[in-house]
């Protein structure tokens, strides 16, 4: 069983719509959760992190965490073509520094 | 955030040779990490490098194949030895965001990556 799972996509949404990206994890000791965006040929860029159950908003991005369901999601409002990228979910357990990455979801925002 | 550079940005190597990748950070950092990203795949951690101690390797990665140096708090190298076509990947270094002397942040920042092609 994979430790961090994501739907590989591609997830296709029209410009201006809400994109919803989902991630589940297996380690109940996980404490920190991150979303990275990776454009083709580039390195991952951190866009959101969340530690507590509930929602965390930053501009057009909202991260949602439900530790009971071992589920974290990323919502992108008013999706733009520039949001087209692969989104990687990463999880950190306890005080460890090591990140475990999901396989990523490829998002395509269409005109 | 820390500024991270890697050299080389890309290289094409012959089977059986080695490539050493350098990672330089503009701030002192406690932990540095080396990842591999194979084509179309996610990131796999190779090892964690702490200054003044041996690197800690993940399952499936060994020091003979991926020797790592960490001579100071701003620099690390990863060598990929005895190259085979299966080693063709992007290699990324990252740093723990807990930068010494700055605001603590529980994140990792990535360098731009090194694209290795083995013929």
């Amino acid at each position: 069983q994979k430790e961090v799972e994501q739907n590989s996509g591609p997830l296709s949404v029209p410009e201006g719509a809400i994109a919803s990206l989902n991630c589940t994890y297996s380690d109940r000791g996980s404490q920190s959760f991150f979303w990275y965006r990776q454009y083709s040929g580039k390195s991952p860029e951190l866009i959101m992190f969340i530690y507590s159950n509930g929602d965390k908003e930053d501009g057009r991005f909202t991260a949602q965490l439900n530790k009971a369901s071992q589920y974290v999601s990323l919502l992108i409002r008013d999706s733009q073509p520039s949001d087209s990228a692969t989104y990687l979910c990463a999880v950190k357990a306890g005080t460890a520094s090591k990140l475990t990455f999901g396989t990523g979801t490829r998002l395509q925002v269409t005109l | 955030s820390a500024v991270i550079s890697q050299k080389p940005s890309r290289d094409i190597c012959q089977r059986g040779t080695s490539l050493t990748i350098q990672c330089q950070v503009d701030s002192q950092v406690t932990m540095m990490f080396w990842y591999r990203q194979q084509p179309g795949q996610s990131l796999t951690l190779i090892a964690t490098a702490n200054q003044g101690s041996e690197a800690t390797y993940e399952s499936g990665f060994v020091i003979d194949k991926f020797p790592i140096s960490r001579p100071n708090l701003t620099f690390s190298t990863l060598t990929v030895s005895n190259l085979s076509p299966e080693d063709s990947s992007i290699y990324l270094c990252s740093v723990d965001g807990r930068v010494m002397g700055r605001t603590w942040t529980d994140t990792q920042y990535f360098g731009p990556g090194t694209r290795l092609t083995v013929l």
Side-chain angles (χ1 to χ4, degrees), chain A residues 32 34 36 38 41-44 46 49 51 88 92 95-99 101-104, chain B residues 31 33 35 37 41-43 45 58 92 96 98 104 106-113 115:
Chain A
S32 307
F34 306 89
Y36 286 82
Q38 186 174 26
K42 301 295 185 182
S43 62
L46 180 75
F49 58 90
Y51 304 137
L88 299 164
K92 183 183 291 190
T95 58
S97 294
K98 172 182 164 182
L99 286 178
F101 282 86
T103 53
Chain B
M31 304 184 78
F33 306 87
Y35 289 84
Q37 188 172 31
Q41 305 296 314
S42 187
L43 283 74
L45 181 64
E58 297 298 306
L92 294 148
D96 190 287
R98 289 169 282 192
W104 182 91
D106 185 21
T107 60
Q108 278 189 29
Y109 300 102
F110 284 86
R115 182 180 296 273

Side-chain angles (χ1 to χ4, degrees), chain B residues 35-112:
Chain B
Y35 289 84
R36 181 175 72 183
Q37 188 172 31
Q38 294 177 305
Q41 305 296 314
S42 187
L43 283 74
T44 301
L45 181 64
I46 298 171
T48 302
N50 291 325
Q51 192 265 338
S53 64
E54 294 286 328
T56 302
Y57 289 84
E58 297 298 306
S59 175
F61 297 96
V62 295
I63 188 171
D64 289 347
K65 176 68 175 177
F66 299 98
I68 288 171
S69 77
R70 181 81 200 274
N72 58 52
L73 289 170
T74 63
F75 186 79
S76 178
T77 66
L78 169 74
T79 299
V80 189
S81 303
N82 190 24
L83 290 167
S84 69
E86 292 71 36
D87 294 319
S88 296
S89 289
I90 297 173
Y91 292 86
L92 294 148
C93 73
S94 77
V95 302
D96 190 287
R98 289 169 282 192
V99 178
M100 294 170 61
R102 296 190 183 180
T103 303
W104 182 91
T105 54
D106 185 21
T107 60
Q108 278 189 29
Y109 300 102
F110 284 86

Side-chain angles (χ1 to χ4, degrees), chain A residues 2-8 22-25 34-36 38 86-91 99-105, chain B residues 37 40-44:
Chain A
K2 293 183 180 177
E3 296 181 40
V4 180
E5 294 203 40
Q6 297 179 254
N7 188 318
S8 61
N22 304 316
C23 173
T24 59
Y25 59 94
F34 306 89
W35 284 98
Y36 286 82
Q38 186 174 26
T86 296
Y87 290 79
L88 299 164
C89 172
V91 173
L99 286 178
T100 301
F101 282 86
T103 53
T105 297
Chain B
Q37 188 172 31
Q41 305 296 314
S42 187
L43 283 74
T44 301

